[in-house]
C-alpha cells in the first residue's frame, strides 16, 4: 500500500496482555498488506482533567479524527473519583451500538455447533445511567432511562446491519411484560424501524425466554437487538456458547460513523508479558473494523487465516488447550495469509 | 393417613393444561398416601375488588391459613386495569424468595450432564417495582428499588437453605460494578449474612460473567442468590440447561412460613384438555412443597418415581419426544411408587 492511500486508525494497545496481542494484530496487518497506519495511544498515568479519566484528551481526539480504532483490554486503575475507562469511551465518543458477531470456530469444539448470530446492544443508556441514590436508610433506587432517540438509533443500526449483511431476522429482546413503559418504548421504536425493512423478519422475545432458547438452541436466532443491560448479559452468554471472550470480536459504533473495535476480555495481568496471550479476540475485532471500512477482501483473508490456524490445532495458545506462544500462533496465522 | 392427621394445602389447578397436570399430582399423592387434603381454588371470572385481580380473596385467605399451596400455570386474562396473577400472588402473599432446584434428569439427555444447582431469586422488588414514568416525550424511566430488609431476608433464606441442604457455596449474582448503590446494597447484605455462616463458602459473581460460566460449565455453581430480574433471567437460563420449564420445579417462600410451589411453564392452551400435557414440573414442585413440610420420605419416593419413569423412557409425553398421554405417564409413575 502506498503511503498516500493509508487509512489512519487509532490503536489503544491497553493494559496487561494488551500490548502483546496488539503486536500480533500489527504483524498480521503488515503481512496482509492492510493499508492502515496506526496511531498509538496509551492510557495516561494521571487523570486528564479534560476527560476526567485516565484517558487522555489526545487519544479521544484521535478516534474522533480517524473515525476508526482498535482497542485492547483496559484495566481501570483502582481509586475513587473517576469513571471506568470503558464507560468513559462509550460516553465521550457516543458509542451507541455494541456489535458482537458470535460464530462457532471450526475445529474448536464446544457444546454448540454452527452458532452464527449477532448481538447488537444499546450502549449508552438504560441501567447504565449512573443515576442512583438512597431514598432513606436501607432503601436505594437506580434509574433506568430509555429514550426514543437512542432506541431508534440502535434499532436502525440493527436493521441496516441485517439488510446489508444478508441476515433474515431481527429479534428485539425485552422485559416489557414487567417494564411496560421503558422496555415498551424500546419495542415501539423497534417496530417503527421494522416497518421500513419489510424484507427483514421482526420478532420480540422476552429476555428470560431468550436465554432459555439460546442455551437450548442458539440457531433459533439471527440478529438480536436490545437495551444495554440485556445486551451485556446476552452477549457474554453467547460468547460462552462458542468458547468465551477470548474468541469473540466486538465493535462499537458511534455517532458520526465512528467504529471502535475492541477485545472485550480482561487484561489477564497473571500472564502479561509472558508471550502466552491469545490474540484471537483482538484479531477478529480488527477484522470487524476492516469490514466497517469496506475492506472486505483483507477482512476475509485475515479471518480465514485465523480460523484456519485454530481449526488445524497445531498452534494454539494455552487458553485453547495448546502450548504455543503468542508469537508462534501469530506466525502460523501469517503463514496462512 | 387418618383424617385427623391430614395437612390442608391450597391447590390452584390454574388454566389451560393446569387442571390435567393437577389431576396427575392428586393421583400420585393418593397412591403415595401423602397426608394432604387439597383445598381447591380457581381463578375468578371477574375482578375481585378486594384483591383488584382475578384472584379471589378466598383463595388468598386459603394460602394464608394453610401456609402451603401448589399452583398450576395461570394465564392472566387480557384487558386493562388489573395486575398479572403471578405478580399479585407474590405481592399479596409477600412471596419473597423464589427457589428453583435445577438438576439434570437421569436419562433425559441435554448438552449438559450432572447439573445440580439452586437459584434463589428475590421476588418482591428490584426492577419489578412497577414504578415507571415518562419524564418528557420520548424519555421514560423506571425505578429499581433495593432494600436492606428484602436483601437480608433473601440472603438469610439462601444461606439457611445451603446449610440445611448440605450445600457448600452461595454465589451472589450482581452488577455492582455498574449499579454500585443498588446492587452494592444487595451485596453488602449478603456479606453480612455470610459472616454468620462460616461453613458456607461465599462468593460474588457479576451477572454477565455468571451467564457465560453457566453455559460453559454449570458445575461451577451450587446455590445462587440474586435480585429479582437477574433471578428471572438466570433461573430460566438454568432451566434451559436441563431441558426447559416443563421439567423444573419452583417454590415461593413467603413471610410467616408460607410455601407456594408452582409450575413456572405456561398454560399451553394449544394442547389443553387433550391429555397430552407433561405434569413433571408440577409434580417436582409438589415435591419441594413436601420437603418444606419436612415430609422427606414422601418427597423422596415421589421424586424417585418421577425420575425413574423419565429415565426408563418407555412412557414420556410429547414434549420429551414420547407418545404417552398424561394419564399413561402418571400411571407409570404410580407403578414405581
Ligand atoms: C466492565 C463492564 C463495565 C462492562 C459492561 O458492563 O458494559 C463489560 O461487562 C462489557 O460488557 O463491556
Ligand atoms: C410472567 C412473568 C411476569 C414472570 C416474571 O417475570 O417474574 C415469569 O417470567 C416468571 O419467572 O415467573
Amino acid at each position: 500500500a502506498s503511503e498516500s492511500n493509508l487509512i489512519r486508525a487509532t490503536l489503544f494497545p491497553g493494559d496487561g496482555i494488551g500490548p502483546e496481542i496488539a503486536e500480533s494484530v500489527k504483524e498480521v496487518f503488515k503481512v496482509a498488506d492492510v493499508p492502515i497506519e496506526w496511531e498509538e495511544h496509551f492510557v495516561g498515568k494521571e487523570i486528564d482533567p479534560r476527560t476526567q479519566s485516565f484517558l487522555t484528551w489526545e487519544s479521544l481526539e484521535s478516534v474522533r479524527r480517524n473515525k476508526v480504532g482498535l482497542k485492547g483490554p483496559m484495566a481501570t486503575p483502582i481509586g475513587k473519583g473517576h469513571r471506568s475507562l470503558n464507560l468513559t469511551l462509550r460516553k465521550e465518543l457516543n458509542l451507541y451500538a455494541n456489535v458482537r458477531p458470535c460464530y462457532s470456530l471450526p475445529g474448536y469444539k464446544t457444546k454448540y455447533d454452527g452458532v452464527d448470530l449477532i448481538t447488537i446492544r444499546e450502549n449508552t443508556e438504560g441501567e447504565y445511567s449512573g443515576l442512583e441514590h438512597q431514598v432513606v436508610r436501607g432503601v436505594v433506587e437506580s434509574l433506568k432511562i430509555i429514550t426514543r432517540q437512542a432506541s431508534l438509533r440502535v434499532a436502525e443500526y440493527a436493521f441496516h446491519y441485517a439488510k446489508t449483511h444478508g441476515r433474515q431476522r431481527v429479534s428485539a429482546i425485552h422485559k416489557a411484560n414487567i417494564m411496560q413503559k421503558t422496555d415498551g418504548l424500546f419495542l415501539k421504536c423497534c417496530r417503527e424501524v421494522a416497518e421500513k425493512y419489510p424484507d427483514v423478519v421482526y420478532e420480540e422475545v422476552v429476555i428470560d425466554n431468550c436465554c432459555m432458547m439460546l442455551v437450548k438452541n442458539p440457531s433459533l436466532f439471527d440478529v438480536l437487538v436490545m437495551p444495554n443491560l440485556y445486551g451485556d448479559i446476552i452477549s457474554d452468554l453467547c460468547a460462552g456458547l462458542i468458547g468465551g471472550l477470548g474468541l469473540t470480536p466486538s465493535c462499537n459504533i458511534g455517532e458520526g460513523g465512528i467504529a471502535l473495535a475492541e477485545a472485550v476480555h480482561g487484561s489477564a495481568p497473571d500472564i502479561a508479558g509472558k508471550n502466552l496471550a491469545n490474540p484471537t479476540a483482538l484479531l477478529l475485532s480488527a477484522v470487524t473494523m476492516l469490514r466497517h471500512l469496506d475492506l472486505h477482501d483483507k477482512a476475509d483473508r485475515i479471518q480465514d487465516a485465523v480460523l484456519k490456524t485454530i481449526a488445524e490445532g497445531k498452534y494454539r495458545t494455552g487458553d485453547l488447550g495448546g502450548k504455543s506462544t503468542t508469537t508462534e500462533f501469530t506466525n502460523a496465522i501469517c503463514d496462512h495469509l
Side-chain angles (χ1 to χ4, degrees), chain A:
Chain A
S2 90
E3 282 291 311
S4 56
N5 288 330
L6 290 182
I7 300 164
R8 288 179 81 90
T10 307
L11 177 64
F12 293 99
D15 302 306
I17 56 172
E20 296 158 75
I21 59 179
E23 207 47 60
S24 168
V25 173
K26 288 194 273 185
E27 182 64 21
V28 169
F29 270 40
K30 203 157 63 192
V31 175
D33 205 21
V34 178
I36 278 195
E37 182 179 36
W38 296 110
E39 201 178 296
E40 283 193 54
H41 283 275
F42 299 89
V43 177
K45 298 222 177 313
E46 280 168 31
I47 291 177
D48 186 324
R50 292 165 299 175
T51 66
Q52 285 174 54
S53 93
F54 289 86
L55 288 165
T56 64
W57 179 257
E58 287 73 22
S59 67
L60 297 181
E61 275 304 296
S62 165
V63 184
R64 287 200 189 95
R65 196 174 50 239
N66 297 329
K67 294 208 188 296
V68 279
L70 180 68
K71 167 186 167 293
M74 286 181 183
T76 298
I78 312 288
K80 300 237 165 201
H82 59 87
R83 292 182 294 177
S84 120
L85 300 181
N86 287 313
L87 297 187
T88 304
L89 278 169
R90 290 178 204 166
K91 199 126 220 165
E92 292 292 331
L93 301 173
N94 218 336
L95 301 173
Y96 65 83
N98 177 246
V99 183
R100 295 210 205 159
C102 176
Y103 45 88
S104 300
L105 301 190
Y108 183 66
K109 251 203 97 39
T110 70
K111 295 182 192 295
Y112 298 87
D113 287 323
V115 177
D116 179 22
L117 51 84
I118 316 277
T119 59
I120 299 185
R121 162 186 182 184
E122 201 292 321
N123 218 12
T124 66
E125 56 178 32
E127 305 76 359
Y128 285 62
S129 72
L131 299 169
E132 288 188 294
H133 77 285
Q134 176 174 302
V135 185
V136 295
R137 241 182 102 83
V139 179
V140 288
E141 58 185 31
S142 74
L143 280 177
K144 164 170 163 177
I145 311 278
I146 299 284
T147 68
R148 185 170 155 77
Q149 191 217 353
S151 304
L152 282 176
R153 185 169 61 177
V154 75
E156 187 63 64
Y157 187 85
F159 277 94
H160 182 258
Y161 186 100
K163 188 178 170 164
T164 53
H165 289 72
R167 297 274 169 177
Q168 314 300 318
R169 194 150 40 105
V170 171
S171 311
I173 313 304
H174 68 95
K175 189 78 194 178
N177 47 343
I178 295 298
M179 282 162 278
Q180 294 170 6
K181 291 190 184 166
T182 44
D183 286 7
L185 175 58
F186 184 81
L187 289 184
K188 189 163 174 290
C189 293
C190 289
R191 282 175 210 154
E192 267 181 56
V193 175
E195 295 269 309
K196 300 196 288 171
Y197 292 83
D199 297 341
V200 178
V201 178
Y202 172 65
E203 65 170 6
E204 298 170 355
V205 185
V206 180
I207 177 152
D208 44 340
N209 191 30
C210 173
C211 289
M212 181 158 56
M213 290 164 75
L214 277 169
V215 301
K216 288 182 79 168
N217 183 8
S219 308
L220 295 169
F221 293 101
D222 195 346
V223 176
L224 296 90
V225 64
M226 55 225 139
N228 211 338
L229 181 67
Y230 309 155
D232 181 51
I233 295 170
I234 287 185
S235 56
D236 273 28
L237 187 167
C238 290
L241 301 175
I242 62 116
L245 294 179
L247 301 172
T248 325
S250 169
C251 189
N252 296 289
I253 304 299
E255 288 287 2
I258 284 178
L260 181 62
E262 61 169 341
V264 284
H265 56 67
S267 57
D270 49 320
I271 59 162
K274 296 186 177 154
N275 201 19
L276 295 173
N278 181 355
T280 300
L282 197 65
L283 279 161
L284 295 180
S285 297
V287 165
T288 70
M289 189 189 89
L290 296 179
R291 296 204 185 282
H292 186 84
L293 292 167
D294 274 329
L295 296 172
H296 293 287
D297 242 41
K298 301 289 185 195
D300 287 344
R301 265 184 75 203
I302 294 175
Q303 181 167 347
D304 286 354
V306 173
L307 298 190
K308 258 192 206 126
T309 306
I310 292 175
E312 286 180 2
K314 192 166 166 211
Y315 298 98
R316 281 185 185 175
T317 46
D319 58 317
L320 301 187
K323 290 202 164 118
S324 302
T325 62
T326 310
T327 314
E328 286 161 353
F329 179 70
T330 306
N331 290 342
I333 294 168
C334 292
D335 287 346
H336 277 109
L337 280 170

